[in-house]
Amino acid sequence: MNVIIAGAGRLGTQIAQVLAAAHNEVTLIDTDDDRIAALEGRIPVRLVAGDACEPALLEHAGALTADLVIATTGDDEDNLVVGLLAKRRFSVPRVAARVNDADDAWLFDARWGVDVAVPAATPLISLIEEATGATDTVALLRLSKAGVDVIETAITPQSRAVGQALGEVRLPEGTVVATIVRDGQPTVPDPVIRLRAGDELLIVSHSATEQEIHAAFQ
């Protein structure tokens, strides 16, 4: 699946990580050149610096062949413009947009090209399920027939993994850490990085259960 995500903040970056881990082709766009530069080499997606509200930029990002566009910027006006362009100009089959201000929710419908409007407080996995049209987490991450699942876990002050190097944590077979979100920013899951309370991990696995993943860290 070819996915374009507008907005490389915490949410957009997390979505990009998850979809890329399931072997989808992901392009992440942001107006902040420094933010894009900081992500270079850190996440396995195509990065584009520019304004996704500009038709030429969206076309450059691959909107003509996109299966899904997700607008996750912190500005509802921008998300609406991205949605409208994606649907009306580029005929993208599915468009999802984040609603930052509940008072704007009534605008996020087919008139603006939005198939799925997602409130800002929606949990990450639920948001991706809504955006992709998957009915559950397993279906979501089998969109590319990768046969994998993605599980979120958070490191609390009580977690036994606090202070351990990532490489010291024994994970079930066929399981890898896709990213560590620390202080709101995605971090490369280097084996030598030491886990801290407050870290959020996105883990990709072919066979492990959620309980097995949590047991490895908690």
Side-chain angles (χ1 to χ4, degrees):
M1 184 170 64
N2 188 348
V3 183
I4 294 175
I5 301 171
R10 175 181 177 180
L11 180 62
T13 301
Q14 286 182 320
I15 294 172
Q17 290 272 58
V18 172
L19 293 178
H23 305 295
N24 297 288
E25 296 181 10
V26 181
T27 298
L28 184 59
I29 305 171
D30 200 272
T31 56
D32 189 331
D33 292 352
D34 292 337
R35 178 177 290 172
I36 290 294
L39 291 172
E40 288 285 354
R42 298 176 61 187
I43 57 175
V45 305
R46 179 189 176 204
L47 298 167
V48 175
D51 188 350
C53 295
E54 294 291 337
L57 191 283
L58 268 184
E59 183 171 353
H60 170 68
L64 288 170
T65 57
D67 301 298
L68 168 66
V69 167
I70 307 176
T72 66
T73 79
D75 188 314
D76 284 345
E77 291 183 2
D78 287 350
N79 290 342
L80 286 169
V81 171
V82 171
L84 187 63
L85 285 173
K87 183 66 70 175
R88 300 286 182 255
R89 180 150 184 167
F90 298 105
S91 300
V92 175
R94 191 167 181 83
V95 176
R98 179 187 186 185
V99 183
N100 296 283
D101 187 338
D103 290 340
D104 295 333
W106 65 278
L107 291 166
F108 286 74
D109 58 20
R111 293 170 300 174
W112 281 90
V114 177
D115 298 303
V116 179
V118 186
T122 302
L124 173 65
I125 295 300
S126 297
L127 187 154
I128 301 174
E129 289 172 356
E130 289 286 339
T132 58
T135 56
D136 54 43
T137 301
V138 173
L140 160 67
L141 293 167
R142 288 181 177 169
L143 289 173
S144 62
K145 302 190 185 301
V148 296
D149 197 6
V150 165
I151 298 168
E152 294 179 273
T153 193
I155 305 300
T156 69
Q158 292 75 38
S159 298
R160 63 178 179 175
V162 170
Q164 287 188 353
L166 182 60
E168 296 173 352
V169 178
R170 297 188 63 180
L171 295 174
E173 185 176 353
T175 300
V176 296
V177 177
T179 187
I180 300 172
V181 179
R182 175 172 291 173
D183 298 327
Q185 296 298 322
T187 302
V188 176
D190 193 297
V192 301
I193 191 170
R194 294 200 172 273
L195 297 171
R196 303 176 186 171
D199 286 347
E200 299 174 23
L201 287 72
L202 292 180
I203 298 158
V204 179
S205 181
H206 286 279
S207 57
T209 65
E210 185 173 351
Q211 290 74 24
E212 289 173 324
I213 295 299
H214 289 333
F217 292 94
Q218 307 305 329

